[in-house]
Amino acid sequence: MGFAVDLHTHTRHGSNCSYMEPRTLVSRALELGLDGVCITEHNASWEEEALKVLVEGTSLQLFAGMEVSTEWGDVLVFGVDGAAPRTGAVEEVRRIVDESGGAMIAAHPFRRYSVAGVAIDVDEACRWPLLRFVDAAEVFNGISTRREVELAQEVLSRLGLRGVGGSDSHAPHTLGACYTRFDDPLAGVGDLVAALNSGRFRAVHPGMGLEF
Ligand SMILES: [Zn+2]
Ligand SMILES: [Zn+2]
């Protein structure tokens, strides 16, 4: 059982690169049996009120987050009320997240290794600076290759860093490709941040038959 949340999605409303209408995201998430979805646009955070309107009369929970570019790679931030910049130095983003009592997750931290011909060095991957600044990292991202996923599992295990799953979906057919199954229901972003800090969740990749 548990409470299944796709932690990483983009809609047309906030990410130019996305084809997903917010209402389609909601109906597709309900079809898939997801309990919640985090909308993590590149550019701006959704207002809580707008998210409530989208899910009115349904059982779905929507959470506002943001994907921020840093010098060491993308991070997902939650619980940062409109204060996060679109891009920034990772230390500065971490400071803002801490001030807001939010949470920060490394998005697809090993994507650079998914390219054929790029040698994998696990020790080097373990030393990737971004991993020192985050509360958890995406062990499963919907766009990741198997090679990237296997490396992520090994690095996170070695570092004792928690892993989450998110589809990084930009279109309805990829929604829920990976998700995070929380032990307890989440009623809002505050619950989400608390659950991410508690570690009471598992990352799920149905397509690869993996859990972490
Ligand atoms: Zn990204
Ligand atoms: Zn993304």
Side-chain angles (χ1 to χ4, degrees), residues 27-43:
S27 56
R28 183 69 190 137
L30 287 163
E31 268 171 38
L32 289 167
L34 289 170
D35 300 298
V37 176
C38 297
I39 305 185
T40 50
E41 311 286 20
H42 293 290
N43 302 321

Side-chain angles (χ1 to χ4, degrees), residues 36-150:
V37 176
C38 297
I39 305 185
T40 50
E41 311 286 20
H42 293 290
N43 302 321
S45 184
W46 279 69
E47 299 287 335
E48 288 292 324
E49 277 312 304
L51 293 181
K52 280 201 188 115
V53 170
L54 276 175
V55 291
E56 211 165 2
T58 79
S59 57
L60 192 72
Q61 283 281 340
L62 286 180
F63 305 92
M66 221 174 115
E67 184 166 13
V68 180
S69 305
T70 79
E71 75 275 37
W72 295 113
D74 294 346
V75 292
L76 305 179
V77 299
F78 299 105
V80 181
D81 5 271
R86 190 179 157 186
T87 62
V90 68
E91 282 184 57
E92 176 62 8
V93 179
R94 180 73 248 184
R95 189 186 62 75
I96 293 167
V97 169
D98 285 341
E99 271 175 9
S100 316
M104 178 160 138
I105 290 169
H108 48 74
F110 307 109
R111 187 165 281 174
R112 65 197 178 284
Y113 293 105
S114 65
V115 183
V118 174
I120 286 189
D121 179 334
V122 181
D123 293 323
E124 180 200 89
C126 285
R127 288 193 301 268
W128 188 247
L130 181 66
L131 301 176
R132 295 201 305 267
F133 292 94
V134 294
D135 303 303
E138 278 182 348
V139 65
F140 305 140
N141 173 288
I143 301 168
S144 295
T145 59
R146 188 169 278 272
R147 165 183 156 100
E148 204 180 325
V149 164
E150 284 170 358

